[in-house]
Structure formats: C-alpha cells, structure tokens
Amino acid sequence: MSTPRDIEIHKGVGGYGFNLAKLGNLQFFRAVEEDGPADLAGARVGDRLLKVNGQDVTKATHSQLVQLIKQAGETLRLCVVPITQEEINAQQPQQPQQQQQQQQQQ
C-alpha cells in the first residue's frame, strides 16, 4: 500500500473541482478538474479517500461522505491514497471459473 498523504483543497467559484465514484467500499476521485482547486492541491484520479477533515470515511456511505464534504466550508482537508489493483480486484465479483479454481486450490 502506498503512503497516505494529506491534501488541503480551497473551494473555488465552481466548487472543489472533483467528482467522486464508489466501487464496493472504496470511494475515490473519478475526475479531477485540470488546474482546478483539487488538482492544484495534489488530488489525482484514482486517489481513495481515507479521511475528511480528520474523520475516517473508509466505512462511510456515499451520502455520508458527500455530507461531510458539504459541511467543510471553504477548506476541505483530505487524507488520500492511490487505489491499488488488488483493492480493485477485491471489490469486483468473481466469475464462476475463478470461484471453481479457488475451490480446487483449497
């Protein structure tokens, strides 16, 4: 796992400059507006959100996460880490052939 990093995003006239997506329990930046507030703060597409303003959001629902972001006001403090391929794979349903192979290996 990569090292988590803290970023501070100052809200611009159009917002914070990012869109979120959710895959299983992973919530991450789906899009970061080029030269927007999030981009200038160091946010990258694929960064997973760990904390919002010091609060752990790894088990938060998407609506809880959005609410925390809205409550942030002009400055949003995030702790993020890039999503790994292993995390992505763990969130996707297994194909029947994969399940059979795993059962045979046990």
Side-chain angles (χ1 to χ4, degrees):
M1 183 171 165
S2 299
T3 304
R5 64 188 195 284
D6 295 319
I7 58 175
E8 185 173 284
I9 305 171
H10 300 281
K11 195 173 193 178
V13 288
Y16 296 112
F18 64 80
N19 290 331
L20 298 174
K22 184 170 181 168
L23 175 64
N25 65 351
L26 304 175
Q27 301 196 67
F28 59 96
F29 292 118
R30 179 178 60 85
V32 176
E33 178 187 330
E34 187 175 347
D35 295 325
D39 183 32
L40 297 174
R44 301 290 173 254
V45 170
D47 281 347
R48 178 167 60 110
L49 280 70
L50 303 176
K51 293 182 182 180
V52 173
N53 294 328
Q55 186 169 337
D56 184 333
V57 294
T58 56
K59 298 197 185 330
T61 65
H62 186 73
S63 60
Q64 290 170 329
L65 178 61
V66 169
Q67 189 62 33
L68 284 171
I69 291 170
K70 285 182 178 180
Q71 292 171 354
E74 295 301 310
T75 303
L76 179 63
R77 291 173 183 84
L78 303 174
C79 181
V80 300
V81 67
I83 294 177
T84 65
Q85 188 61 49
E86 291 79 23
E87 289 173 315
I88 293 170
N89 293 345
Q91 300 301 315
Q92 297 178 359
Q94 294 183 348
Q95 300 297 320
Q97 183 180 9
Q98 289 175 316
Q99 290 173 347
Q100 281 182 338
Q101 288 174 350
Q102 285 184 345
Q103 288 172 353
Q104 291 171 357
Q105 293 173 355
Q106 293 177 355

